[in-house]
Amino acid sequence: MATIVPPVTQDTTSSKGPTAMVFMNMGGPSTTDEVGDFLSRLFADADLIPLGRLQNYIGPLISRRRTPKIQKQYAAIGGGSPIRKWSEYQSSEMCKILDRISPETAPHKPYVAFRYADPLTEEMYTRLIEDGFGNGKGGRAVAFTQYPQYSCSTTGSSLNELWKWRNRLEGKNPAGAVTWSVIDRWPVHPGLVEAFARNIEAQLATYPEATRKDVVLLFSAHSLPMSVVNRGDTYPAEVAATVYAVMQRLAFRNAYRLCWQSQVGPSAWLGAQTSDTVSHYVSQGQTDLILVPIAFTSDHIETLYELDREVIHEAGHAGVKRAESLNGSPVFIQALADIAVGHLRSGQSCSRQMGLRCQGCRSERCLEQKKFFGEFSGG
């Protein structure tokens, strides 16, 4: 778990600090008792799972029906998701590095804000205020998405939630409020690419040298509803960019494909599905496969259960394996620090790309959120 960091005050001797570093992610239930609430929030989010005008009716029905099944899955991987443990560890270790390499913005205080599980965005923001940020005292905070590839359904949803709670807890008067900026995507950062590549190389080394070049790499990312893709979401292109950058680092020594997992419901989702892809190649005699979770920064149910216990187990061949997730990788944590310090020194509120709405976007909430973060609002 993360080291407890004492509250900060705004009269620090550093010129631009203290700085709150807020890791944003989907989150996951830490115990099986939290599964119901987690699913209720997830299926209520039209940014992630659009269900139309009946969202408030259909969402609760789906979540209640799925809760017993998902509770069993979490029980099978140890009784809960490890994503909170890894998020708190990664953010804490990153802040230690930042204190050393960016003393002008120190001290850096780590926070985690999950969209669907504790600690929720509201809880994080309340802690920020209790620790001396905002609420008339000013201070700087960076919303650091832990989705390397941007999607309106993931990072966009988390930013919508952050914007909502900022308005509720600090009002619309910027005087003395937290000054926010956003690290909204980082799909081809060299440190991220290196961390993925090293984990792939470690798994490749478990195959006989004579056949190593024949192992197929299957990069697996969380899928999106086609309604989101057709709206113009940048996520598929950014995931593909990560895959290509990793393969460049690996000198294209192995054949590879990108596939998509975790589809929910009967509507059309981005494919080909990971499970179908593995089944296809195995049936064709290609039984040396490495699954690479390319859009996740730590283990959770999609890796530990869906990939390990379903896809790989059902393949029935010892040659079907998975590369380790990034988790506590020192290379990855250093990459996070490099990304953060570059942002802190850039003076930018967000990327240029974040300010451009999807071609088919009609969401007023999205528009107002982008305006807010694009203006580097705050005290």
Side-chain angles (χ1 to χ4, degrees):
M1 301 295 287
T3 303
I4 301 299
V5 181
V8 295
T9 59
Q10 300 302 322
D11 57 354
T12 178
T13 57
S14 59
S15 60
K16 297 180 181 178
T19 307
M21 302 300 299
V22 180
F23 273 28
M24 300 187 307
N25 210 329
M26 177 182 292
S30 296
T31 68
T32 55
D33 289 340
E34 297 174 15
V35 170
D37 288 341
F38 170 75
L39 292 178
S40 293
R41 298 184 189 110
L42 189 147
F43 283 101
D45 184 8
D47 291 326
L48 179 68
I49 303 176
L51 298 174
R53 291 179 297 173
L54 297 178
Q55 184 101 29
N56 292 336
Y57 174 75
I58 298 175
L61 290 178
I62 297 174
S63 63
R64 284 196 297 270
R65 188 177 73 244
R66 290 178 60 85
T67 292
K69 174 184 176 182
I70 303 303
Q71 284 178 321
K72 291 179 181 178
Q73 293 180 0
Y74 277 106
I77 63 170
S81 172
I83 191 171
R84 180 171 185 171
K85 175 191 76 172
W86 285 122
S87 296
E88 291 179 339
Y89 176 80
Q90 291 164 347
S91 61
S92 178
E93 293 301 301
M94 179 198 72
C95 283
K96 292 176 184 177
I97 298 173
L98 288 176
D99 284 346
R100 186 176 71 250
I101 66 176
S102 184
E104 68 273 16
T105 53
H108 303 86
K109 184 170 175 61
Y111 296 85
V112 172
F114 286 153
R115 184 64 180 85
Y116 312 112
D118 294 332
L120 295 164
T121 304
E122 176 187 8
E123 179 184 340
M124 176 280 299
Y125 216 120
T126 301
R127 279 192 56 214
L128 267 183
I129 293 172
E130 291 173 350
D131 289 348
F133 290 90
N135 203 27
K137 300 176 184 177
R140 180 177 188 182
V142 177
F144 192 167
T145 181
Q146 292 306 293
Y147 305 101
Q149 306 91 2
Y150 184 92
S151 172
C152 296
S153 63
T154 53
T155 299
S157 178
S158 289
L159 290 174
N160 286 339
E161 190 75 357
L162 177 59
W163 174 70
K164 179 183 79 175
W165 284 108
R166 187 271 180 194
N167 288 337
R168 288 186 180 181
L169 296 177
E170 295 202 86
K172 297 187 177 181
N173 183 357
V178 175
T179 297
W180 284 97
S181 62
V182 182
I183 301 173
D184 52 87
R185 71 199 73 211
W186 33 286
V188 293
H189 185 273
L192 174 71
V193 171
E194 182 65 23
F196 277 131
R198 291 194 186 187
N199 284 357
I200 293 169
E201 288 174 331
Q203 192 62 278
L204 279 168
T206 66
Y207 293 85
E209 186 174 358
T211 60
R212 200 168 295 160
K213 69 181 186 307
D214 299 319
V215 177
V216 172
L217 306 181
L218 295 180
F219 294 90
S220 185
H222 201 295
S223 187
L224 278 184
M226 286 306 298
S227 59
V228 176
V229 175
N230 291 337
R231 192 171 62 211
D233 199 282
T234 61
Y235 174 76
E238 294 189 15
V239 173
T242 307
V243 170
Y244 196 82
V246 171
M247 289 309 304
Q248 277 189 313
R249 160 61 178 77
L250 296 172
F252 296 98
R253 285 187 292 268
N254 295 79
Y256 68 98
R257 284 293 184 274
L258 171 57
C259 44
W260 309 88
Q261 65 178 93
S262 309
Q263 296 88 332
V264 178
S267 62
W269 285 62
L270 183 63
Q273 292 189 31
T274 301
S275 56
D276 292 343
T277 300
V278 171
S279 297
H280 169 76
Y281 283 123
V282 168
S283 71
Q284 299 297 310
Q286 176 64 53
T287 56
D288 285 346
L289 306 167
I290 295 179
L291 290 164
V292 183
I294 197 65
F296 305 127
T297 55
S298 70
D299 274 323
H300 42 81
I301 197 166
E302 283 86 351
T303 58
L304 298 175
Y305 192 89
E306 185 178 353
L307 293 183
D308 291 354
R309 290 177 171 265
E310 291 185 335
V311 175
I312 293 177
H313 177 73
E314 291 171 9
H317 286 272
V320 181
K321 305 178 183 182
R322 176 172 70 85
E324 286 294 319
S325 298
L326 298 176
N327 293 337
S329 161
V331 175
F332 175 62
I333 292 171
Q334 181 64 53
L336 293 173
D338 291 343
I339 294 165
V341 77
H343 174 79
L344 289 168
R345 293 172 179 170
S346 72
Q348 294 181 335
S349 58
C350 60
S351 73
R352 295 277 296 177
Q353 184 75 328
M354 183 177 144
L356 183 65
R357 299 177 74 192
C358 295
Q359 302 94 306
C361 181
R362 300 293 182 268
S363 169
E364 289 301 314
R365 181 176 59 170
C366 175
L367 174 62
E368 293 304 314
Q369 171 255 108
K370 287 180 180 293
K371 286 181 180 179
F372 171 78
F373 289 111
E375 291 170 357
F376 208 90
S377 300

